[in-house]
Amino acid sequence: MRDISVWAYPWDLHDIGLEAALDRLAAQGVNTISLASSYHAGRFLQPGNPRRRIWYPQDGTVYYEIDPARWTDAEIAPLQAEIVSTEGDYLAQLIDRRARGGPAVSCWTVCLHNTRLGMAHPDHVVRTAHGDPQYYGLCPSSPAARAYVTGLVAEISHRYRPDRIELESPDFMGFDHGFHHEKDGLGLLDEDRFLLGVCFCDHCMNRARRAGVPADAARDTVRRLLDAAFARELPKAAFPGFPGTGLRAFANQPDLAAYLGWRSEPVTSLIGEIRQAAHADTRVLLIDFEGSWWGGIDLPAIAPHCDGVVHCAYATAVDRIGPALKSARDTLGPDRTIVAGFQLFHPEVSGRDDLKQRVQAAFPCADGINFYNLGLVPPSRLDWIAQALHG
């Protein structure tokens, strides 16, 4: 039987009512809840929530009861969201409900995307070639950031024993991820955005140097390329065809190419450490998508170090969904889990038939389907799920 899941926020379960929400989802064929257990800030329009129509989540917090003793000596520690105390620990409630025949439980866990922690720990954030901090992204090369993420997963999996943990953002956050009132009067090209997201913090530099990678020369190259882009009267591509050409675009910059080739190592090894820290009964899945190489994801390298992927095909054309999932299956092998992720947003998904075509295209290779998101869409749109599943 396939895992059919819906991503959900704890405040939506609170406002809808846990039993009412589970009944509504079960009627659509949903047998797993992917609950946000660690999340970032935002402004959410919530037509599916009867109380909080617009909601600003507390920035960079966790949605379960932490054990302070686990974090006594940690340089970077999680902050328990205030609503856990005022509205309840919904992860604990779902685990209890599972024991009484309820749905399986997955913990949707944001790893390194955390502006609150970035502001509090600027020595551990992603930094550009010019040394500018990207406060919304902790760096996967930072020992303290790595300890934070592995500790988070260990605490969740050993204390609650969810069926799986879904890892969001265990990689390098790109420059264009979405910060408050971003300004760009230059007209950044894709290549500029990519290079602005390549991290040259002290942790990356030292880790790369130890691996024999020409980190200093690579940083100088990126500085030069960005300075040239900043000096142009109008944008002009230095790497035509990017991003379609991927990392091959930088082959004529050997120092940079070597650094970009190394850049996946901190991400791969971090995911391996996360898997080791997690309870053996909890599967660890990477939330992935086409183009994730941009953030340092190397799926063939990661494959032995996790239990599978949630492949988000939000914007993937219908005729590309099957091939994309087959490629993931070929990379991961037959024993790893592949879950296809689809959003219920309009106009990105035009209607019932569009979603059905997407889901049916995923079935030959997918072990499960995740739908996004319980509170962010009208309740009537959840009715699309059953039709999509049954064709």
Side-chain angles (χ1 to χ4, degrees):
M1 184 174 69
R2 289 189 177 93
D3 293 332
I4 306 299
S5 183
V6 167
W7 280 293
Y9 300 119
W11 53 86
D12 290 328
L13 296 179
H14 177 271
D15 293 351
I16 296 168
L18 180 59
E19 292 303 324
L22 296 184
D23 288 347
R24 181 184 299 172
L25 294 173
Q28 300 302 318
V30 172
N31 56 25
T32 304
I33 304 298
S34 291
L35 183 72
S37 55
S38 168
Y39 215 67
H40 50 72
R43 185 196 70 188
F44 299 165
L45 177 65
Q46 301 194 134
N49 186 303
R51 174 183 161 207
R52 282 171 264 216
R53 296 302 203 174
I54 297 176
W55 180 242
Y56 293 81
Q58 188 179 357
D59 190 11
T61 57
V62 300
Y63 294 93
Y64 64 89
E65 291 187 356
I66 66 170
D67 177 5
R70 282 180 171 263
W71 301 95
T72 301
D73 299 321
E75 184 173 357
I76 301 177
L79 175 65
Q80 181 178 307
E82 293 172 3
I83 64 171
V84 176
S85 297
T86 60
E87 299 181 1
D89 181 346
Y90 276 85
L91 176 53
Q93 291 185 45
L94 284 172
I95 294 296
D96 176 69
R97 189 66 181 77
R98 182 187 64 182
R100 294 183 286 113
V105 181
S106 182
C107 288
W108 170 24
T109 305
V110 173
C111 298
L112 297 171
H113 179 25
N114 195 310
T115 304
R116 184 188 64 78
L117 287 177
M119 291 289 190
H121 301 280
D123 291 341
H124 299 284
V125 300
V126 170
R127 287 183 178 265
T128 70
H130 292 98
D132 300 312
Q134 312 276 40
Y135 289 114
Y136 49 81
L138 297 172
C139 179
S141 289
S142 159
R146 294 167 76 92
Y148 163 73
V149 175
T150 55
L152 204 66
V153 170
E155 181 167 56
I156 293 170
S157 64
H158 286 269
R159 290 189 65 200
Y160 292 88
R161 306 286 179 87
D163 297 274
R164 71 184 188 222
I165 289 178
E166 302 166 13
L167 303 176
E168 179 179 326
S169 70
D171 54 343
F172 293 99
M173 301 297 298
F175 180 71
D176 252 7
H177 193 76
F179 198 69
H180 189 61
H181 280 214
E182 291 181 345
K183 308 288 186 182
D184 166 25
L186 178 67
L188 290 167
L189 302 176
D190 284 336
E191 64 193 52
D192 306 324
R193 293 187 180 92
F194 175 74
L195 293 174
L196 282 166
V198 177
C199 184
F200 293 97
C201 73
D202 289 345
H203 303 290
C204 277
M205 296 295 285
N206 291 333
R207 193 177 182 101
R209 290 174 188 135
R210 289 194 297 270
V213 175
D216 297 272
R219 181 179 58 189
D220 292 344
T221 297
V222 174
R223 282 177 178 168
R224 173 177 53 80
L225 291 169
L226 288 174
D227 286 343
F230 295 164
R232 294 188 186 105
E233 182 179 4
L234 291 172
K236 181 180 179 182
F239 301 94
F242 184 85
T245 50
L247 297 181
R248 299 187 307 277
F250 306 101
N252 63 344
Q253 307 285 338
D255 294 326
L256 175 56
Y259 190 82
L260 295 177
W262 163 83
R263 178 174 181 254
S264 62
E265 185 281 325
V267 179
T268 300
S269 59
L270 174 58
I271 292 172
E273 290 174 16
I274 290 170
R275 175 58 273 179
Q276 291 177 2
H279 192 279
D281 293 341
T282 299
R283 288 175 293 155
V284 175
L285 306 185
L286 169 67
I287 296 180
D288 194 35
F289 53 91
E290 283 193 292
S292 61
W293 58 267
W294 190 289
I297 295 291
D298 180 353
L299 195 57
I302 288 169
H305 302 291
C306 67
D307 299 299
V309 299
V310 178
H311 182 91
C312 292
Y314 293 173
T316 307
V318 172
D319 62 356
R320 281 288 310 143
I321 291 171
L325 291 174
K326 184 179 184 305
S327 176
R329 173 61 72 200
D330 291 343
T331 299
L332 294 170
D335 299 327
R336 295 291 194 271
T337 298
I338 296 180
V339 176
F342 297 103
Q343 63 180 358
L344 300 172
F345 288 14
H346 186 271
E348 290 82 0
V349 177
S350 62
R352 294 171 180 263
D353 290 342
D354 187 9
L355 183 66
K356 180 176 69 175
Q357 291 176 27
R358 292 171 179 276
V359 170
Q360 294 297 314
F363 273 163
C365 290
D367 303 301
I369 307 291
N370 262 25
F371 295 98
Y372 188 83
N373 170 295
L374 174 62
L376 298 180
V377 299
S380 57
R381 204 172 294 169
L382 297 176
D383 293 344
W384 294 3
I385 294 175
Q387 180 178 340
L389 294 174
H390 299 297

